[in-house]
Amino acid sequence: MAPIERIADRLEKPALDDRSYRVIRLPNMLEALLVHDPETDKASASVNVNVGSFSDADDMPGMAHAVEHLLFMGTEKYPVENDYSQYLSANAGYSNAYTSATETNYFFEIAASSSQPTDALTNGHIASPLHGALDRFAQFFIGPLFLSSTLDRELKAVDSENKKNLQSDGWRLSQLKKSLSSPRHPYHHFSTGNLQTLRDEPRKRGVNIREEFIQFHHKHYSANRMKLVVLGREELDELESWVGDLFAGVVNKDLSRNRWDGLQPYSEKELLTQVFAKPVMDTRLLDIYFPYQDEEEMYETQPSRYLSHLIGHEGPGSILAYIKAKGWANGLSAGVTPVCPGSAFFAVSVKLTEDGLKHYQEVVKVVFQYISLIKEDKPQQWIVDEVKGMAEVDFRFREKTPATSFTSKLSSIMQQPLPRDRLLSGTSVIRKFDPEAITRALSYIRPDNYRLTIVSQTFPGDWDQKEKWYGTEYRVEAIPSAFQADVRQASNSTSENRIAELHLPHRNEFVPTKLTVDKREGVEPLKTPKLIRNDEAVRVWWKKDDRFWVPKGNVYITLRNPLSKATPETAVKSSLYCELIKDALVEYSYDAEIAGLGYELSSIATGIDINVGGYSDKMAVLLEKVLVSMRDLEVKPDRFKIVKERVLRGLRNWEFQQPYRQVGDFTRWLGSEKGWINEQFLAEVLPLDPEDIASFYPQLLRQMHIEVLAHGDIQKEDALRMTDLIESTLRPRTLPKSQWQIRRNLLLPPGSDYTYRRTLGDPANVNNCIEYYIYVGRLADYALRAKLLLLGQMTEEAGFDQLRTKEQLGYIVFTGAKYAATTMGYRIIIQSERSTEYLEERVNAFLALFATKLESMSQEDFEGHKKSLINKRLEKLKNLDQESDRFWGHISGEYFNFVQNETDAEHVRPVSKQEMIDFFNHYIHPTSPSRAKLSVHMVAQSSPKALAGNMSVREQKEKLVGMLSKYLTSVGVNADAEQLTKRFAAVDVAGGDQAAIVGAITSYLQEDAEVSQESVTAVVEQGHQLLGTILPSLGIEVKIEEADLPPAPVVKETTVIEDVFDYKSRLALSEGPRPVKDLKAFEELEAKL
């Protein structure tokens, strides 16, 4: 056998990167990047295969996506379908995958090493969980089984995933763009797939779908199309040995790289057209798409970044500054969207106001006038140098990311034609100024090479078509000739007739210049920040970075004032105030943003939060500007109208989110002493005028307590100076501690069982959702918290396997701990087409089943779960932001337990199996008389019951017989409607009795149609599967055949919450949060500067 070829041993890497790298090529031409990180506590691997939805058969869209799902369902070496996920879960790991246009990406994460010295040895070392994971992972590409028993379930999972996205504007508008592209280009494909495209239609054509998936894998999955990244603690030589051994069996079919040269997504027919699309949410967008060149080979110059920097600029003289001043837009972005090797789009996207929608043609003309400005002079080297310089700084000080993010991204990058020693820097760094390349790039941005998309719920109102896959209403037409002429004129404008306000950006004063960090070797990082000022007016927490050594910092500030969310009205006013400040600062803050320094401003329950983060050099300058803007805000009526309307739309659109994104807000509301929900905010917005905000915000700033965390490359003196800046700018009175808001939660009493039901606001959403929450106890009860965390660990894979994989309840299934301000509990979230009552029943069944599994769990498996949980809790921080967020979370939570992760690990270690059984039986088991439960049911308007409407039972039965007759005819069986009707005379069709329906079809085939037994079996199997689609379309709730499902226990009757005020008034309150120790223990005080 040929030896492994080493392609590169030294990769260009960030200044502080302590990893070592090697790129190798196996004899089967599989290329791998090996990464040795001696400090990592998480190992990871990713395989990227150069095949995606563009390779789907035209008559079977979604094939690549379905194959991605099916590879997880068992291999020849590891035939148990969830062996891979169980192995990962037992070793603090997880996995996922995605399918895009030209690639399918698989990845996993796992504990980097075993913590048990008694574990088996590998090559003289303690066995690595990574080796076992890689062994299982490699089999995806060597010997997948495509088990018949899992096929239908995974296709239903694909279908559920698709249904999850049906009301998502991102998916709908993306597919509309594809569906209206050239049918000759694979961009036209429907990429996700559903039961119709992957199962029902192919079977009608007599296709053996399992064989089709096997053939797809055989045809497209080749070692030379695969890029592997492996990250671990092991030395490079050992990783190389593992990869060479485990992946040698991947067959090389010597396939060429997928390319689509000479073919563009938009032909002449699609250009110079405008598409009007109606969204689900109240959104207004103008998108200009220019067919553009493939820049894969231009990694050194990246000319599109020059274009996107200028067209997408938000500072003075920019397109956005002008159209925002006109009241036409709220935002603008520009940049390249690669389509595939061979083609791309350059897109300009504008968020329009109501007035901007009326003037969308004017906005387009402004864009083309600015493009003429760029083209007027030769490309400016100083602009490229500025962009290039910031890119180099960002790469130089790039920090580590989570293991799977790193491996998944790098395996994708490896598909690009980059020099192998530049895989890390890749397209992050611009290496050359190439004016000719920029000029060529600009040649694509012209008035005869674009398509417009205008998105609005109201304009023009006469949509006359529906997109096939998502049902998006739209209209497409040629751009009027007069408008085309205006655009050509704008494109040819000169300095004499161009809009005077448009000009190129000035030099960026926020580009950092102080980038040196005084790194000290051998320093043991501190685990807590120090309290460097602590008086009635201010608390300042500070920690000089001693872990990551980057010239960056984060300053978190809370201006504590209970007025911010005292009522829904003050909450809305506070939110509008923050939005108005951000709106006023767009032009100023944009320079800081592109120079790696940003800010956030938001209204929270305890006051106003300000966060400033990025390169620390100019941090105080940006903070001062934000503070002055807060103090001196002028509420201009024209901007107030636009910002108010934007906030109003955001609140209205909230109800059109995915149900699983809504349900948690209601659970939190029902568990809070004081809190508000979307509908209450919505009621307060309309009456507000500019004067309301102008008179309100001084009250917010008049009196406060100031809490500050300064963390990173920030000296103590600078932290105190920035605090002084807050005080001297805002000049507030001190808010006494007696007026601070005490955060509390409502306590569900033992034995209680409540259900709260809400009907979803989106009439077209087919999914229901349930959050099933069990209250466990106080957040500060560490022994109880350890058991709750361990329960989450043990049920994570088990819950997914049972509720999603086996029972196919829905694509969205979450299990685990849920924390409130002072309380905690266990929750399960499921989004599904099944009724919420059925979901509740299946959760009860799962918990009862898990009780038996816990009883029978071996001591080895139990200890494995503990080990896995401890590994997760003690996982190392990857970057400065993670540590800052951790500190701020403990400060704002008011427990100040900065080593909570260590506390958790300490309390998990001694937990015994019997203690867990006792805990589960007392707090969690559905039949426990002590457990306290709250379920929130989000019910779809378009449920089967709603779809049934006024349809009678007789009509439902007639329609079902008609559909079955068509199906039988399609598979070559004579369909006698009269005989079929007789067979269904005693069948409870309206009740969704699938067993009886299948029995009637079987009797008809055997006795009336006299079909052979072999054909009966095949026809019934396909027909049985079709019923899952047919019955809901007739408004019939499908009765599940429960022979193979674990039984649900009998539980006490629930109390339905009809009056939330009454419900809350009956519950006791928790204590407020209390520091784990006296704050004086954190103090390091000096004289105030």
Side-chain angles (χ1 to χ4, degrees):
M1 182 182 289
I4 293 173
E5 182 183 0
R6 292 184 180 176
I7 307 299
D9 265 320
R10 294 184 179 276
L11 271 63
E12 191 174 56
K13 62 183 186 178
L16 298 171
D17 191 341
D18 58 358
R19 293 166 170 166
S20 51
Y21 300 89
R22 180 182 297 166
V23 181
I24 61 172
R25 186 182 293 124
L26 304 189
N28 60 5
M29 303 306 289
L30 185 149
E31 193 176 43
L33 169 64
L34 311 175
V35 187
H36 165 56
D37 185 343
E39 298 300 320
T40 189
D41 51 4
K42 290 292 184 182
S44 177
S46 172
V47 166
N48 187 285
V49 189
N50 175 221
V51 63
S53 62
F54 279 15
S55 299
D56 289 347
D58 289 340
D59 61 354
M60 209 167 165
M63 286 184 75
H65 184 210
V67 168
E68 171 222 305
H69 274 249
L70 290 164
L71 290 199
F72 286 82
M73 294 292 108
T75 61
E76 291 173 11
K77 186 173 181 180
Y78 297 100
V80 178
E81 66 180 64
N82 67 334
D83 178 90
Y84 175 63
S85 58
Q86 275 190 333
Y87 180 85
L88 294 176
S89 179
N91 288 280
Y94 71 93
S95 68
N96 211 333
Y98 68 82
T99 302
S100 67
T102 62
E103 60 186 47
T104 308
N105 195 297
Y106 303 85
F107 53 90
F108 71 80
E109 180 175 292
I110 196 164
S113 66
S114 171
S115 61
Q116 301 300 319
T118 57
D119 286 354
L121 298 182
T122 301
N123 296 335
H125 300 288
I126 294 173
S128 167
L130 175 60
H131 186 275
L134 281 173
D135 188 15
R136 289 162 173 79
F137 190 46
Q139 294 303 311
F140 281 29
F141 315 104
I142 297 171
L145 289 175
F146 293 96
L147 292 168
S148 298
S149 60
T150 67
L151 187 63
D152 199 58
R153 281 197 271 114
E154 281 310 301
L155 293 184
K156 286 179 179 177
V158 170
D159 189 66
S160 179
E161 183 177 352
N162 179 61
K163 284 175 176 169
K164 170 182 72 71
N165 301 327
L166 287 178
Q167 290 301 102
S168 166
D169 280 327
W171 286 90
R172 292 166 69 90
L173 295 173
S174 174
Q175 186 59 51
L176 179 64
K177 189 169 66 169
K178 295 176 181 180
S179 295
L180 295 179
S181 66
S182 169
R184 295 180 60 235
H185 196 286
Y187 183 71
H188 187 76
H189 284 177
F190 166 49
S191 59
T192 309
N194 57 29
L195 278 179
Q196 176 192 347
T197 68
L198 294 168
R199 188 191 70 184
D200 301 345
E201 292 298 329
R203 280 181 173 162
K204 285 180 184 177
R205 300 193 301 268
V207 172
N208 182 328
I209 58 172
R210 177 174 178 267
E211 187 60 30
E212 287 296 310
F213 295 132
I214 292 171
Q215 287 304 312
F216 186 94
H217 187 275
H218 178 74
K219 179 181 178 181
H220 296 289
Y221 276 59
S222 172
N224 73 309
R225 278 188 174 177
M226 296 180 188
K227 307 298 179 184
L228 167 67
V229 179
V230 180
L231 164 70
R233 277 188 183 176
E234 291 74 16
E235 296 291 341
L236 292 175
D237 287 349
E238 186 165 14
L239 291 176
E240 181 177 307
S241 173
W242 288 359
V243 168
D245 176 40
L246 298 174
F247 288 85
V250 182
V251 177
N252 177 25
K253 295 152 192 170
D254 200 25
L255 302 178
S256 60
R257 185 174 183 237
N258 275 319
R259 292 194 65 86
W260 289 267
D261 295 307
L263 193 62
Q264 289 296 326
Y266 288 168
S267 64
E268 285 189 19
K269 179 184 175 183
E270 286 79 39
L271 292 174
L272 297 181
T273 57
Q274 54 186 10
V275 178
F276 297 94
K278 183 180 180 182
V280 172
M281 291 192 177
D282 189 1
T283 307
R284 292 183 296 268
L285 293 172
L286 166 66
D287 291 329
I288 312 173
Y289 293 103
F290 298 91
Y292 187 73
Q293 64 188 351
D294 173 15
E295 286 192 348
E296 262 198 343
E297 302 281 354
M298 304 178 193
Y299 49 82
E300 292 200 325
T301 57
Q302 302 174 61
S304 63
R305 288 177 71 171
Y306 183 86
L307 278 62
S308 58
H309 175 72
L310 296 177
I311 296 172
H313 210 280
E314 298 179 11
S318 65
I319 297 170
L320 180 61
Y322 179 78
I323 58 179
K324 186 167 173 278
K326 298 289 284 186
W328 294 342
N330 288 315
L332 180 148
S333 60
V336 163
T337 303
V339 174
C340 60
S343 58
F345 290 118
F346 188 90
V348 181
S349 185
V350 184
K351 294 179 180 178
L352 297 172
T353 63
E354 287 181 295
D355 203 32
L357 187 62
K358 299 171 189 173
H359 293 88
Y360 82 91
Q361 294 187 355
E362 296 301 315
V363 174
V364 174
K365 287 186 275 186
V366 174
V367 171
F368 275 95
Q369 283 209 29
Y370 195 87
I371 291 166
S372 75
L373 169 68
I374 299 172
K375 292 180 176 180
E376 191 169 62
D377 293 318
K378 63 182 181 181
Q380 306 289 302
Q381 181 162 357
W382 75 265
I383 294 175
V384 173
D385 286 345
E386 191 171 272
V387 176
K388 178 172 173 284
M390 269 315 305
E392 289 168 353
V393 168
D394 287 339
F395 177 68
R396 178 183 167 193
F397 295 107
R398 181 188 291 173
E399 298 174 80
K400 289 181 180 178
T401 55
T404 49
S405 300
F406 174 83
T407 57
S408 176
K409 182 179 179 180
L410 259 293
S411 66
S412 176
I413 287 173
M414 287 179 73
Q415 296 287 3
Q416 300 175 24
L418 291 163
R420 303 292 94 171
D421 62 345
R422 296 183 185 175
L423 287 175
L424 299 177
S425 52
T427 56
S428 300
V429 176
I430 301 172
R431 299 174 192 278
K432 294 179 183 176
F433 169 59
D434 187 341
E436 289 77 19
I438 293 171
T439 301
R440 280 196 304 274
L442 281 165
S443 71
Y444 290 88
I445 317 301
R446 59 180 194 266
D448 65 342
N449 187 48
Y450 71 98
R451 167 182 259 181
L452 297 180
T453 300
I454 300 95
V455 179
S456 166
Q457 282 192 334
T458 58
F459 179 78
D462 57 347
W463 310 278
D464 55 4
Q465 297 184 70
K466 279 192 175 184
E467 193 275 324
K468 178 179 180 180
W469 302 108
Y470 289 82
T472 304
E473 293 183 70
Y474 72 94
R475 194 180 93 203
V476 60
E477 64 187 26
I479 294 174
S481 55
F483 181 23
Q484 287 191 47
D486 288 346
V487 170
R488 286 194 296 272
Q489 184 178 354
S491 183
N492 293 322
S493 63
T494 67
S495 57
E496 294 179 359
N497 58 10
R498 189 180 299 122
I499 296 167
E501 290 89 339
L502 298 179
H503 60 79
L504 295 180
H506 51 244
R507 294 183 186 273
N508 192 343
E509 299 301 323
F510 274 100
V511 172
T513 54
K514 178 185 170 293
L515 294 169
T516 55
V517 177
D518 180 23
K519 183 176 181 180
R520 300 176 186 176
E521 299 295 340
V523 174
E524 181 67 26
L526 296 175
K527 296 177 180 179
T528 67
K530 297 172 181 176
L531 189 54
I532 58 174
R533 182 176 166 192
N534 185 16
D535 53 47
E536 290 184 352
V538 177
R539 276 201 303 239
V540 183
W541 300 86
W542 167 77
K543 184 192 171 193
K544 176 75 170 65
D545 176 36
D546 54 6
R547 192 185 298 271
F548 303 104
W549 309 107
V550 288
K552 300 177 182 179
N554 290 301
V555 175
Y556 294 77
I557 303 161
T558 291
L559 309 179
R560 186 178 276 109
N561 185 323
L563 184 61
S564 66
K565 289 200 174 177
T567 67
E569 181 187 15
T570 63
V572 168
K573 287 178 178 178
S574 299
S575 179
L576 269 168
Y577 168 59
C578 292
E579 291 301 314
L580 285 163
I581 293 163
K582 289 188 281 189
D583 183 72
L585 282 174
V586 166
E587 288 185 37
Y588 179 86
S589 64
Y590 185 73
D591 273 353
E593 182 183 327
I594 59 176
L597 179 62
Y599 81 99
E600 295 176 15
L601 185 68
S602 59
S603 168
I604 61 169
T606 53
I608 300 293
D609 259 13
I610 311 166
N611 301 339
V612 180
Y615 294 105
S616 51
D617 187 16
K618 310 279 185 10
M619 185 175 284
V621 177
L622 179 59
L623 175 59
E624 182 175 18
K625 183 68 174 180
V626 172
L627 292 168
V628 169
S629 299
M630 291 176 69
R631 183 193 66 196
D632 298 340
L633 176 68
E634 180 187 352
V635 185
K636 298 176 181 178
D638 57 339
R639 293 312 302 172
F640 174 82
K641 179 182 176 183
I642 289 168
V643 171
K644 174 185 169 181
E645 191 273 338
R646 190 172 71 213
V647 169
L648 189 60
R649 275 191 296 130
L651 291 169
R652 287 172 176 161
N653 287 339
W654 185 90
E655 292 202 348
F656 290 83
Q657 295 180 104
Q658 293 280 351
Y660 78 93
R661 295 187 183 279
Q662 300 181 38
V663 69
D665 279 19
F666 291 106
T667 312
R668 281 187 289 274
W669 175 54
L670 293 168
S672 302
E673 175 194 14
K674 198 172 185 181
W676 322 113
I677 52 174
N678 192 72
E679 64 189 38
Q680 294 170 310
F681 299 141
L682 198 52
E684 300 296 337
V685 179
L686 277 174
L688 296 177
D689 58 30
E691 181 53 39
D692 290 323
I693 307 304
S695 60
F696 170 74
Y697 84 78
Q699 300 175 53
L700 267 182
L701 304 182
R702 184 173 299 137
Q703 189 175 22
M704 66 181 69
H705 176 267
I706 301 168
E707 186 112 46
V708 178
L709 167 67
H711 175 230
D713 185 31
I714 302 170
Q715 300 297 330
K716 180 191 289 190
E717 295 76 14
D718 292 328
L720 292 169
R721 284 192 190 97
M722 281 190 272
T723 307
D724 288 345
L725 181 65
I726 300 167
E727 290 185 286
S728 62
T729 304
L730 300 181
R731 297 189 176 278
R733 289 171 48 221
T734 297
L735 180 74
K737 196 166 187 178
S738 60
Q739 295 181 33
W740 294 13
Q741 180 180 336
I742 300 174
R743 302 190 309 153
R744 301 175 185 268
N745 287 110
L746 299 170
L747 301 176
L748 294 176
S752 61
D753 190 308
Y754 291 101
T755 300
Y756 180 72
R757 297 192 178 103
R758 293 282 297 199
T759 301
L760 288 163
D762 182 359
N765 197 310
V766 299
N767 290 302
N768 301 299
C769 185
I770 180 176
E771 180 163 20
Y772 181 112
Y773 173 76
I774 301 169
Y775 167 72
V776 169
R778 295 183 303 109
L779 201 57
D781 186 333
Y782 298 138
L784 209 52
R785 177 184 166 103
K787 297 183 182 75
L788 174 62
L789 285 166
L790 190 51
L791 175 64
Q793 159 65 29
M794 292 192 293
T795 58
E796 181 180 24
E797 195 280 332
F800 188 89
D801 181 59
Q802 183 64 38
L803 299 172
R804 179 182 149 172
T805 305
K806 288 190 171 71
E807 298 194 27
Q808 286 293 302
L809 295 180
Y811 184 74
I812 300 296
V813 174
F814 298 132
T815 62
K818 182 183 180 79
Y819 303 111
T822 59
T823 57
M824 60 187 176
Y826 179 78
R827 65 91 182 266
I828 295 179
I829 291 179
I830 306 174
Q831 181 172 295
S832 171
E833 291 181 83
R834 304 293 187 198
S835 72
T836 53
E837 291 81 7
Y838 180 75
L839 297 179
E840 178 108 10
E841 180 183 295
R842 297 319 305 155
V843 171
N844 286 333
F846 165 68
L847 292 175
L849 175 68
F850 182 77
T852 63
K853 289 186 175 182
L854 181 58
E855 289 273 2
S856 61
M857 185 180 292
S858 70
Q859 191 62 35
E860 181 183 2
D861 286 347
F862 181 76
E863 292 299 327
H865 280 299
K866 287 169 59 178
K867 181 181 73 174
S868 185
L869 174 59
I870 290 167
N871 185 292
K872 289 177 183 176
R873 295 305 296 151
L874 298 181
E875 183 176 346
K876 291 181 179 179
L877 295 159
K878 300 296 187 293
N879 51 57
L880 184 77
D881 287 348
Q882 282 189 354
E883 187 170 35
S884 297
D885 288 343
R886 176 183 287 184
F887 287 156
W888 189 241
H890 292 306
I891 292 168
S892 57
E894 299 181 81
Y895 284 100
F896 304 96
N897 190 356
F898 298 108
V899 291
Q900 178 74 66
N901 60 322
E902 295 181 7
T903 306
D904 289 339
E906 288 169 9
H907 283 80
V908 168
R909 285 191 180 95
V911 175
S912 69
K913 179 183 166 185
Q914 187 56 52
E915 286 176 320
M916 276 305 296
I917 292 171
D918 294 342
F919 165 82
F920 188 90
N921 289 337
H922 180 82
Y923 289 100
I924 309 297
H925 200 289
T927 61
S928 167
S930 304
R931 82 161 187 170
K933 181 184 76 71
L934 167 67
S935 282
V936 177
H937 292 196
M938 307 294 288
V939 183
Q941 292 185 41
S942 56
S943 63
K945 290 178 184 176
L947 287 172
N950 296 320
M951 193 185 299
S952 68
V953 173
R954 179 181 173 183
E955 286 175 309
Q956 287 176 324
K957 188 173 290 190
E958 287 175 352
K959 285 182 180 293
L960 175 62
V961 169
M963 289 178 175
L964 290 174
S965 295
K966 288 181 181 179
Y967 161 66
L968 293 175
T969 302
S970 74
V971 294
V973 176
N974 179 45
D976 184 329
E978 185 177 345
Q979 284 299 113
L980 262 177
T981 301
K982 288 180 181 178
R983 290 288 177 188
F984 276 87
V987 176
D988 180 17
V989 170
D993 190 345
Q994 283 197 81
I997 293 171
V998 171
I1001 297 171
T1002 303
S1003 297
Y1004 172 81
L1005 292 171
Q1006 291 173 334
E1007 300 171 22
D1008 301 327
E1010 298 181 349
V1011 175
S1012 70
Q1013 187 55 47
E1014 183 180 353
S1015 296
V1016 168
T1017 302
V1019 170
V1020 168
E1021 181 187 351
Q1022 292 182 38
H1024 193 184
Q1025 293 166 352
L1026 284 173
L1027 288 174
T1029 304
I1030 292 174
L1031 294 178
S1033 74
L1034 298 175
I1036 298 169
E1037 189 79 56
V1038 180
K1039 186 184 293 182
I1040 309 298
E1041 297 169 32
E1042 300 184 2
D1044 297 327
L1045 296 181
V1050 176
V1051 297
K1052 68 176 291 184
E1053 187 175 349
T1054 190
T1055 300
V1056 177
I1057 300 171
E1058 303 286 357
D1059 183 332
V1060 173
F1061 181 84
D1062 180 67
Y1063 156 79
K1064 287 190 175 187
S1065 69
R1066 296 172 183 272
L1067 300 182
L1069 283 173
S1070 71
E1071 298 177 349
R1074 288 183 290 178
V1076 292
K1077 57 183 175 180
D1078 193 318
L1079 296 190
K1080 291 186 181 299
F1082 299 104
E1083 288 183 349
E1084 184 180 281
L1085 307 181
E1086 293 178 5
K1088 185 168 175 277
L1089 293 177

